[in-house]
Amino acid sequence: MGKVKILLKKSTNIGASALLLVSTLLPTLALKGQSVVSAATATTSLTPSGTVDTGNHTWGLSDFQTASNYTPVGKNTSGSGWTSSSTYNFGTYQANTGSWLPFNGAVDMTHSITISGATFANAGGINPATHLGDANGILLTNLASSQLSGGATGGNLGVGNLGSGTYFIGNNYSHTPYYTLLDLTQGYQTASVVAQGDGSGAKILSASSDYTPNNNSTNAFSMSWTNPVLNSNGTVTGTISYTSRNAGTDYTTSTSITVQKSMSIGFMAATGGNYAQMSVTVSGVTAGKGVQPVNVNYLNTATGSQLTPKGTAWQNSTISANVGDKIGVVAPSGSGNAADNYDYFAPIAPAGYSFSSVSQPVTVQNFPSGTTNPNQINVSYTPQPQTAGFTYSYDPTAQRTPTTPPLFSASGVTDQTLVAAAPNLQMNLAGQVPAGYYISKITSALGEQQLEAQQQEPYLHFLH
């Protein structure tokens, strides 16, 4: 029970007696401290303002050869799908198609990355090798899979409309216009390119020399991200390179780009007026997993705001997790969810509170730097009923003839502030004062701190 001491003094002017501000803060206990834990099991206790790390931050080839690890996105595609554990058919054998195959996880751009395999393209008609159109290669983006379908195709290489944080790295089959004898339609020569989304179009950042590709054949490729440097603003600058081998000759392009720390990666193909049947085969991968924070927020059910036991705010915990993993928080004495990749215990409720509920697990999303983090979990605690006590005693200088008024109690909940200026409480406190006396001063039982005069002044008129 919180207690506030009230001193009574003999009054020579009953009409000027006054009720002063009375407030009591009910006793609570706040959890302190911060821990950094590598989660070796599915259940580690969280600490307010602490950080935990799920670990397991490396991708392997088997991850990139698992169909369920991708979310295909198609525009005007037909027949797309996996033809084997390592080969995906983009479904682009018609004009004006876009086929994006983003990996559900993300890659950590502070580590080197290599991806190797083979691209395939087959077009019909006269001189089909010059009419493959338009793009077949690797997708690198800061967007979620749900945001890719608006990508502009054709010569925009599937990255137009997707912003400057999206890149195409691969075979640009429409790089340079090219006419051949007896072919009355315009064809193109191919180049290995790195292209960046630029408004509705694509900006070519670097390109290899042009070549005429072999039709109806596979071209071995390798993509690498090397020499990454983490910048002071959290972005990463490194060198992106792509090599395509055509008829025994390597065509390589390379350039420096700056990206956010966690990026989504995958494969893509796009066509315009020219089109071809296109596919990709993945045969080698080394990459670090992209990581994003999951914020765990602590709320008071009575206020809907941040939990602040005893005036000390419980800052959110942070879970560093791989993009695509499912993260959950369970009750302090609960058990993990079988469908989650990682689960963590909520902190034990502080004194005066009880655990109430936790929001649903989240599947960690990648998101552009500087935008709102969509990865949020809320843990709620309910304040328990409490009683605040107000005791009376006479000022040492006062003539003490009446009996001391009895203890007065008021009900509330943990961390609720009771103010004597509230009409009902004011009336009850004043009703205990004997005739001829007034409230001289009020002190808190917590440290016996007397209220300052400036705190008392606004309430001197209440009982005039």
Side-chain angles (χ1 to χ4, degrees):
M1 174 188 291
K3 294 184 178 180
V4 173
K5 190 174 182 180
I6 302 176
L7 296 184
L8 304 178
K9 200 168 186 178
K10 185 72 175 180
S11 173
T12 56
N13 182 358
I14 299 298
S17 62
L19 178 65
L20 306 181
L21 171 66
V22 181
S23 66
T24 177
L25 189 63
L26 299 174
T28 60
L29 178 65
L31 262 169
K32 301 281 187 180
Q34 177 173 338
S35 63
V36 179
V37 181
S38 180
T41 66
T43 49
T44 298
S45 293
L46 298 175
T47 303
S49 78
T51 299
V52 297
D53 192 319
T54 64
N56 186 28
H57 296 315
T58 302
W59 294 118
L61 177 60
S62 61
D63 297 310
F64 275 74
Q65 290 184 339
T66 301
S68 60
N69 285 345
Y70 294 86
T71 300
V73 178
K75 180 194 293 186
N76 302 325
T77 56
S78 177
S80 60
W82 292 90
T83 59
S84 72
S85 62
S86 61
T87 300
Y88 183 79
N89 173 19
F90 288 111
T92 55
Y93 198 42
Q94 56 192 12
N96 301 311
T97 65
S99 186
W100 299 267
L101 187 66
F103 191 67
N104 291 338
V107 289
D108 184 348
M109 302 303 289
T110 63
H111 297 286
S112 297
I113 302 169
T114 61
I115 300 178
S116 59
T119 57
F120 172 84
N122 180 28
I126 301 174
N127 296 318
T130 63
H131 295 84
L132 294 177
D134 278 272
N136 185 353
I138 289 175
L139 166 73
L140 185 66
T141 183
N142 61 356
L143 302 179
S145 58
S146 60
Q147 300 172 281
L148 298 176
S149 61
T153 58
N156 304 306
L157 305 179
V159 297
N161 296 331
L162 298 184
S164 60
T166 299
Y167 298 83
F168 166 72
I169 305 118
N171 304 321
N172 179 358
Y173 296 129
S174 58
H175 185 247
T176 304
Y178 180 73
Y179 291 90
T180 59
L181 189 63
L182 302 179
D183 186 355
L184 300 180
T185 61
Q186 179 176 290
Y188 294 87
Q189 287 196 307
T190 296
S192 299
V193 303
V194 176
Q196 180 182 30
D198 183 26
S200 61
K203 180 181 181 181
I204 305 297
L205 302 181
S206 69
S208 70
S209 57
D210 291 336
Y211 65 93
T212 300
N214 287 337
N215 183 55
N216 195 23
S217 67
T218 57
N219 281 17
F221 76 85
S222 63
M223 186 280 291
S224 66
W225 169 254
T226 56
N227 303 316
V229 175
L230 181 62
N231 302 313
S232 59
N233 63 358
T235 61
V236 182
T237 299
T239 301
I240 192 85
S241 301
Y242 183 87
T243 297
S244 179
R245 175 166 292 183
N246 183 74
T249 301
D250 289 345
Y251 295 87
T252 300
T253 186
S254 180
T255 191
S256 174
I257 61 174
T258 298
V259 295
Q260 68 181 43
K261 184 176 182 293
S262 180
M263 294 284 282
S264 294
I265 201 165
F267 306 92
M268 60 174 292
T271 69
N274 294 324
Y275 56 89
Q277 177 186 350
M278 290 187 275
S279 66
V280 64
T281 298
V282 186
S283 59
V285 173
T286 58
K289 294 182 179 180
V291 174
Q292 291 286 13
V294 176
N295 291 335
V296 181
N297 310 299
Y298 303 108
L299 306 179
N300 183 328
T301 59
T303 64
S305 301
Q306 184 179 36
L307 183 66
T308 310
K310 204 176 180 180
T312 301
W314 272 26
Q315 302 297 334
N316 66 274
S317 299
T318 302
I319 302 171
S320 295
N322 301 319
V323 173
D325 279 353
K326 193 172 186 180
I327 307 297
V329 175
V330 299
S333 59
S335 57
N337 301 312
D340 297 345
N341 295 102
Y342 298 93
D343 284 327
Y344 297 88
F345 288 126
I348 296 173
Y353 289 82
S354 58
F355 173 82
S356 175
S357 63
V358 61
S359 59
Q360 292 297 311
V362 299
T363 298
V364 183
Q365 299 180 46
N366 207 23
F367 60 97
S369 298
T371 63
T372 301
N373 182 355
N375 307 309
Q376 305 284 333
I377 295 176
N378 294 329
V379 181
S380 298
Y381 297 86
T382 298
Q384 297 172 342
Q386 303 286 352
T387 301
F390 297 85
T391 62
Y392 296 82
S393 62
Y394 288 99
D395 188 291
T397 63
Q399 179 182 359
R400 302 181 226 175
T401 35
T403 302
T404 302
L407 172 73
F408 173 75
S409 297
S411 297
V413 295
T414 304
D415 286 331
Q416 178 183 354
T417 299
L418 301 179
V419 180
N424 289 339
L425 191 55
Q426 177 188 134
M427 183 181 302
N428 288 323
L429 286 173
Q432 304 278 32
V433 179
Y437 286 79
Y438 67 97
I439 297 175
S440 171
K441 58 184 175 181
I442 303 171
T443 58
S444 169
L446 299 176
E448 294 294 324
Q449 294 180 345
Q450 181 175 326
L451 296 179
E452 299 294 337
Q454 59 265 34
Q455 292 176 286
Q456 301 173 10
E457 184 62 28
Y459 303 96
L460 292 176
H461 65 282
F462 285 151
L463 293 183
H464 284 181

PDB file of all heavy atoms in Angstrom, residues 201-226:
ATOM      1  N   GLY A 201      12.312   3.420 -66.345  1.00  0.00           N
ATOM      2  CA  GLY A 201      13.233   2.683 -67.189  1.00  0.00           C
ATOM      3  C   GLY A 201      14.356   2.028 -66.424  1.00  0.00           C
ATOM      4  O   GLY A 201      14.286   1.841 -65.204  1.00  0.00           O
ATOM      5  N   ALA A 202      15.403   1.655 -67.152  1.00  0.00           N
ATOM      6  CA  ALA A 202      16.580   1.025 -66.573  1.00  0.00           C
ATOM      7  C   ALA A 202      17.819   1.802 -67.001  1.00  0.00           C
ATOM      8  O   ALA A 202      17.968   2.151 -68.176  1.00  0.00           O
ATOM      9  CB  ALA A 202      16.688  -0.425 -67.024  1.00  0.00           C
ATOM     10  N   LYS A 203      18.691   2.058 -66.050  1.00  0.00           N
ATOM     11  CA  LYS A 203      19.939   2.751 -66.338  1.00  0.00           C
ATOM     12  C   LYS A 203      21.062   1.720 -66.374  1.00  0.00           C
ATOM     13  O   LYS A 203      21.305   1.016 -65.390  1.00  0.00           O
ATOM     14  CB  LYS A 203      20.205   3.796 -65.263  1.00  0.00           C
ATOM     15  CG  LYS A 203      21.497   4.581 -65.454  1.00  0.00           C
ATOM     16  CD  LYS A 203      21.679   5.582 -64.321  1.00  0.00           C
ATOM     17  CE  LYS A 203      22.953   6.396 -64.493  1.00  0.00           C
ATOM     18  NZ  LYS A 203      23.125   7.353 -63.367  1.00  0.00           N
ATOM     19  N   ILE A 204      21.751   1.615 -67.517  1.00  0.00           N
ATOM     20  CA  ILE A 204      22.864   0.677 -67.653  1.00  0.00           C
ATOM     21  C   ILE A 204      24.083   1.269 -66.953  1.00  0.00           C
ATOM     22  O   ILE A 204      24.606   2.309 -67.362  1.00  0.00           O
ATOM     23  CB  ILE A 204      23.183   0.379 -69.123  1.00  0.00           C
ATOM     24  CG1 ILE A 204      21.948  -0.131 -69.866  1.00  0.00           C
ATOM     25  CG2 ILE A 204      24.325  -0.625 -69.223  1.00  0.00           C
ATOM     26  CD1 ILE A 204      21.407  -1.431 -69.345  1.00  0.00           C
ATOM     27  N   LEU A 205      24.546   0.610 -65.885  1.00  0.00           N
ATOM     28  CA  LEU A 205      25.697   1.102 -65.133  1.00  0.00           C
ATOM     29  C   LEU A 205      27.012   0.600 -65.724  1.00  0.00           C
ATOM     30  O   LEU A 205      28.028   1.292 -65.636  1.00  0.00           O
ATOM     31  CB  LEU A 205      25.590   0.673 -63.669  1.00  0.00           C
ATOM     32  CG  LEU A 205      24.336   1.121 -62.904  1.00  0.00           C
ATOM     33  CD1 LEU A 205      24.395   0.639 -61.464  1.00  0.00           C
ATOM     34  CD2 LEU A 205      24.180   2.639 -62.958  1.00  0.00           C
ATOM     35  N   SER A 206      27.000  -0.579 -66.285  1.00  0.00           N
ATOM     36  CA  SER A 206      28.197  -1.123 -66.930  1.00  0.00           C
ATOM     37  C   SER A 206      27.769  -2.226 -67.888  1.00  0.00           C
ATOM     38  O   SER A 206      26.706  -2.837 -67.714  1.00  0.00           O
ATOM     39  CB  SER A 206      29.183  -1.671 -65.897  1.00  0.00           C
ATOM     40  OG  SER A 206      28.676  -2.833 -65.284  1.00  0.00           O
ATOM     41  N   ALA A 207      28.596  -2.474 -68.901  1.00  0.00           N
ATOM     42  CA  ALA A 207      28.273  -3.487 -69.907  1.00  0.00           C
ATOM     43  C   ALA A 207      29.547  -4.076 -70.483  1.00  0.00           C
ATOM     44  O   ALA A 207      30.569  -3.385 -70.611  1.00  0.00           O
ATOM     45  CB  ALA A 207      27.411  -2.900 -71.026  1.00  0.00           C
ATOM     46  N   SER A 208      29.481  -5.340 -70.827  1.00  0.00           N
ATOM     47  CA  SER A 208      30.590  -5.988 -71.528  1.00  0.00           C
ATOM     48  C   SER A 208      30.546  -5.592 -73.002  1.00  0.00           C
ATOM     49  O   SER A 208      29.665  -4.838 -73.445  1.00  0.00           O
ATOM     50  CB  SER A 208      30.464  -7.507 -71.404  1.00  0.00           C
ATOM     51  OG  SER A 208      29.357  -7.967 -72.186  1.00  0.00           O
ATOM     52  N   SER A 209      31.475  -6.099 -73.762  1.00  0.00           N
ATOM     53  CA  SER A 209      31.392  -5.920 -75.216  1.00  0.00           C
ATOM     54  C   SER A 209      30.192  -6.707 -75.744  1.00  0.00           C
ATOM     55  O   SER A 209      29.716  -7.656 -75.111  1.00  0.00           O
ATOM     56  CB  SER A 209      32.678  -6.406 -75.878  1.00  0.00           C
ATOM     57  OG  SER A 209      32.921  -7.768 -75.551  1.00  0.00           O
ATOM     58  N   ASP A 210      29.661  -6.301 -76.896  1.00  0.00           N
ATOM     59  CA  ASP A 210      28.508  -6.967 -77.489  1.00  0.00           C
ATOM     60  C   ASP A 210      28.902  -8.298 -78.118  1.00  0.00           C
ATOM     61  O   ASP A 210      30.044  -8.500 -78.541  1.00  0.00           O
ATOM     62  CB  ASP A 210      27.879  -6.077 -78.565  1.00  0.00           C
ATOM     63  CG  ASP A 210      27.205  -4.840 -77.982  1.00  0.00           C
ATOM     64  OD1 ASP A 210      26.818  -4.887 -76.804  1.00  0.00           O
ATOM     65  OD2 ASP A 210      27.077  -3.837 -78.710  1.00  0.00           O
ATOM     66  N   TYR A 211      27.917  -9.178 -78.212  1.00  0.00           N
ATOM     67  CA  TYR A 211      28.120 -10.438 -78.910  1.00  0.00           C
ATOM     68  C   TYR A 211      26.770 -10.955 -79.396  1.00  0.00           C
ATOM     69  O   TYR A 211      25.703 -10.542 -78.922  1.00  0.00           O
ATOM     70  CB  TYR A 211      28.808 -11.470 -78.017  1.00  0.00           C
ATOM     71  CG  TYR A 211      28.002 -11.920 -76.806  1.00  0.00           C
ATOM     72  CD1 TYR A 211      27.190 -13.051 -76.873  1.00  0.00           C
ATOM     73  CD2 TYR A 211      28.073 -11.218 -75.597  1.00  0.00           C
ATOM     74  CE1 TYR A 211      26.459 -13.465 -75.761  1.00  0.00           C
ATOM     75  CE2 TYR A 211      27.356 -11.626 -74.491  1.00  0.00           C
ATOM     76  CZ  TYR A 211      26.549 -12.756 -74.573  1.00  0.00           C
ATOM     77  OH  TYR A 211      25.828 -13.169 -73.481  1.00  0.00           O
ATOM     78  N   THR A 212      26.830 -11.858 -80.350  1.00  0.00           N
ATOM     79  CA  THR A 212      25.619 -12.530 -80.825  1.00  0.00           C
ATOM     80  C   THR A 212      25.543 -13.883 -80.139  1.00  0.00           C
ATOM     81  O   THR A 212      26.404 -14.743 -80.331  1.00  0.00           O
ATOM     82  CB  THR A 212      25.647 -12.732 -82.347  1.00  0.00           C
ATOM     83  OG1 THR A 212      25.752 -11.458 -82.973  1.00  0.00           O
ATOM     84  CG2 THR A 212      24.385 -13.429 -82.814  1.00  0.00           C
ATOM     85  N   PRO A 213      24.533 -14.080 -79.286  1.00  0.00           N
ATOM     86  CA  PRO A 213      24.484 -15.306 -78.499  1.00  0.00           C
ATOM     87  C   PRO A 213      24.069 -16.509 -79.354  1.00  0.00           C
ATOM     88  O   PRO A 213      23.437 -16.367 -80.399  1.00  0.00           O
ATOM     89  CB  PRO A 213      23.419 -14.994 -77.446  1.00  0.00           C
ATOM     90  CG  PRO A 213      22.510 -14.032 -78.132  1.00  0.00           C
ATOM     91  CD  PRO A 213      23.393 -13.192 -79.011  1.00  0.00           C
ATOM     92  N   ASN A 214      24.410 -17.659 -78.875  1.00  0.00           N
ATOM     93  CA  ASN A 214      23.917 -18.884 -79.487  1.00  0.00           C
ATOM     94  C   ASN A 214      22.467 -19.085 -79.073  1.00  0.00           C
ATOM     95  O   ASN A 214      22.122 -18.961 -77.894  1.00  0.00           O
ATOM     96  CB  ASN A 214      24.743 -20.092 -79.042  1.00  0.00           C
ATOM     97  CG  ASN A 214      26.119 -20.115 -79.677  1.00  0.00           C
ATOM     98  OD1 ASN A 214      26.326 -19.511 -80.733  1.00  0.00           O
ATOM     99  ND2 ASN A 214      27.056 -20.798 -79.041  1.00  0.00           N
ATOM    100  N   ASN A 215      21.608 -19.354 -80.015  1.00  0.00           N
ATOM    101  CA  ASN A 215      20.202 -19.617 -79.723  1.00  0.00           C
ATOM    102  C   ASN A 215      20.027 -21.074 -79.292  1.00  0.00           C
ATOM    103  O   ASN A 215      20.777 -21.960 -79.681  1.00  0.00           O
ATOM    104  CB  ASN A 215      19.348 -19.331 -80.957  1.00  0.00           C
ATOM    105  CG  ASN A 215      17.870 -19.523 -80.676  1.00  0.00           C
ATOM    106  OD1 ASN A 215      17.327 -18.917 -79.752  1.00  0.00           O
ATOM    107  ND2 ASN A 215      17.216 -20.370 -81.462  1.00  0.00           N
ATOM    108  N   ASN A 216      18.996 -21.287 -78.474  1.00  0.00           N
ATOM    109  CA  ASN A 216      18.642 -22.635 -78.038  1.00  0.00           C
ATOM    110  C   ASN A 216      19.841 -23.325 -77.384  1.00  0.00           C
ATOM    111  O   ASN A 216      20.130 -24.497 -77.654  1.00  0.00           O
ATOM    112  CB  ASN A 216      18.119 -23.457 -79.209  1.00  0.00           C
ATOM    113  CG  ASN A 216      17.408 -24.722 -78.739  1.00  0.00           C
ATOM    114  OD1 ASN A 216      16.936 -24.801 -77.601  1.00  0.00           O
ATOM    115  ND2 ASN A 216      17.350 -25.725 -79.598  1.00  0.00           N
ATOM    116  N   SER A 217      20.525 -22.581 -76.511  1.00  0.00           N
ATOM    117  CA  SER A 217      21.678 -23.155 -75.830  1.00  0.00           C
ATOM    118  C   SER A 217      21.825 -22.510 -74.453  1.00  0.00           C
ATOM    119  O   SER A 217      21.202 -21.493 -74.155  1.00  0.00           O
ATOM    120  CB  SER A 217      22.962 -22.924 -76.639  1.00  0.00           C
ATOM    121  OG  SER A 217      23.281 -21.543 -76.676  1.00  0.00           O
ATOM    122  N   THR A 218      22.657 -23.117 -73.632  1.00  0.00           N
ATOM    123  CA  THR A 218      22.899 -22.583 -72.297  1.00  0.00           C
ATOM    124  C   THR A 218      24.206 -21.812 -72.265  1.00  0.00           C
ATOM    125  O   THR A 218      25.173 -22.175 -72.941  1.00  0.00           O
ATOM    126  CB  THR A 218      22.968 -23.713 -71.252  1.00  0.00           C
ATOM    127  OG1 THR A 218      23.991 -24.630 -71.633  1.00  0.00           O
ATOM    128  CG2 THR A 218      21.636 -24.444 -71.167  1.00  0.00           C
ATOM    129  N   ASN A 219      24.200 -20.735 -71.501  1.00  0.00           N
ATOM    130  CA  ASN A 219      25.403 -19.946 -71.269  1.00  0.00           C
ATOM    131  C   ASN A 219      25.755 -20.038 -69.784  1.00  0.00           C
ATOM    132  O   ASN A 219      24.950 -19.622 -68.922  1.00  0.00           O
ATOM    133  CB  ASN A 219      25.192 -18.478 -71.639  1.00  0.00           C
ATOM    134  CG  ASN A 219      25.272 -18.229 -73.129  1.00  0.00           C
ATOM    135  OD1 ASN A 219      25.183 -19.161 -73.920  1.00  0.00           O
ATOM    136  ND2 ASN A 219      25.416 -16.969 -73.505  1.00  0.00           N
ATOM    137  N   ALA A 220      26.908 -20.575 -69.462  1.00  0.00           N
ATOM    138  CA  ALA A 220      27.352 -20.591 -68.073  1.00  0.00           C
ATOM    139  C   ALA A 220      27.541 -19.158 -67.583  1.00  0.00           C
ATOM    140  O   ALA A 220      27.979 -18.285 -68.335  1.00  0.00           O
ATOM    141  CB  ALA A 220      28.651 -21.376 -67.943  1.00  0.00           C
ATOM    142  N   PHE A 221      27.194 -18.908 -66.319  1.00  0.00           N
ATOM    143  CA  PHE A 221      27.369 -17.569 -65.774  1.00  0.00           C
ATOM    144  C   PHE A 221      27.942 -17.657 -64.365  1.00  0.00           C
ATOM    145  O   PHE A 221      27.831 -18.683 -63.671  1.00  0.00           O
ATOM    146  CB  PHE A 221      26.048 -16.792 -65.749  1.00  0.00           C
ATOM    147  CG  PHE A 221      25.118 -17.205 -64.637  1.00  0.00           C
ATOM    148  CD1 PHE A 221      25.238 -16.653 -63.364  1.00  0.00           C
ATOM    149  CD2 PHE A 221      24.120 -18.145 -64.857  1.00  0.00           C
ATOM    150  CE1 PHE A 221      24.391 -17.039 -62.336  1.00  0.00           C
ATOM    151  CE2 PHE A 221      23.267 -18.543 -63.836  1.00  0.00           C
ATOM    152  CZ  PHE A 221      23.399 -17.983 -62.571  1.00  0.00           C
ATOM    153  N   SER A 222      28.507 -16.549 -63.936  1.00  0.00           N
ATOM    154  CA  SER A 222      28.907 -16.391 -62.535  1.00  0.00           C
ATOM    155  C   SER A 222      28.699 -14.937 -62.144  1.00  0.00           C
ATOM    156  O   SER A 222      28.974 -14.027 -62.922  1.00  0.00           O
ATOM    157  CB  SER A 222      30.367 -16.799 -62.319  1.00  0.00           C
ATOM    158  OG  SER A 222      31.241 -15.953 -63.051  1.00  0.00           O
ATOM    159  N   MET A 223      28.158 -14.735 -60.965  1.00  0.00           N
ATOM    160  CA  MET A 223      27.962 -13.400 -60.414  1.00  0.00           C
ATOM    161  C   MET A 223      28.742 -13.321 -59.102  1.00  0.00           C
ATOM    162  O   MET A 223      28.735 -14.271 -58.305  1.00  0.00           O
ATOM    163  CB  MET A 223      26.485 -13.114 -60.152  1.00  0.00           C
ATOM    164  CG  MET A 223      26.170 -11.677 -59.714  1.00  0.00           C
ATOM    165  SD  MET A 223      26.478 -11.301 -57.963  1.00  0.00           S
ATOM    166  CE  MET A 223      25.206 -12.246 -57.155  1.00  0.00           C
ATOM    167  N   SER A 224      29.412 -12.202 -58.866  1.00  0.00           N
ATOM    168  CA  SER A 224      30.139 -12.052 -57.603  1.00  0.00           C
ATOM    169  C   SER A 224      29.938 -10.652 -57.029  1.00  0.00           C
ATOM    170  O   SER A 224      29.771  -9.677 -57.752  1.00  0.00           O
ATOM    171  CB  SER A 224      31.635 -12.321 -57.809  1.00  0.00           C
ATOM    172  OG  SER A 224      32.230 -11.327 -58.637  1.00  0.00           O
ATOM    173  N   TRP A 225      29.920 -10.598 -55.718  1.00  0.00           N
ATOM    174  CA  TRP A 225      29.902  -9.342 -54.958  1.00  0.00           C
ATOM    175  C   TRP A 225      31.149  -9.389 -54.076  1.00  0.00           C
ATOM    176  O   TRP A 225      31.280 -10.264 -53.216  1.00  0.00           O
ATOM    177  CB  TRP A 225      28.629  -9.260 -54.134  1.00  0.00           C
ATOM    178  CG  TRP A 225      28.562  -8.174 -53.102  1.00  0.00           C
ATOM    179  CD1 TRP A 225      28.657  -8.306 -51.745  1.00  0.00           C
ATOM    180  CD2 TRP A 225      28.357  -6.770 -53.335  1.00  0.00           C
ATOM    181  NE1 TRP A 225      28.524  -7.089 -51.116  1.00  0.00           N
ATOM    182  CE2 TRP A 225      28.335  -6.134 -52.072  1.00  0.00           C
ATOM    183  CE3 TRP A 225      28.186  -5.999 -54.488  1.00  0.00           C
ATOM    184  CZ2 TRP A 225      28.160  -4.759 -51.931  1.00  0.00           C
ATOM    185  CZ3 TRP A 225      28.010  -4.625 -54.350  1.00  0.00           C
ATOM    186  CH2 TRP A 225      27.993  -4.016 -53.095  1.00  0.00           C
ATOM    187  N   THR A 226      32.078  -8.447 -54.297  1.00  0.00           N
ATOM    188  CA  THR A 226      33.367  -8.501 -53.622  1.00  0.00           C
ATOM    189  C   THR A 226      33.733  -7.162 -53.002  1.00  0.00           C
ATOM    190  O   THR A 226      33.174  -6.118 -53.342  1.00  0.00           O
ATOM    191  CB  THR A 226      34.481  -8.910 -54.611  1.00  0.00           C
ATOM    192  OG1 THR A 226      34.487  -7.995 -55.723  1.00  0.00           O
ATOM    193  CG2 THR A 226      34.262 -10.324 -55.124  1.00  0.00           C
TER     194      THR A 226
END
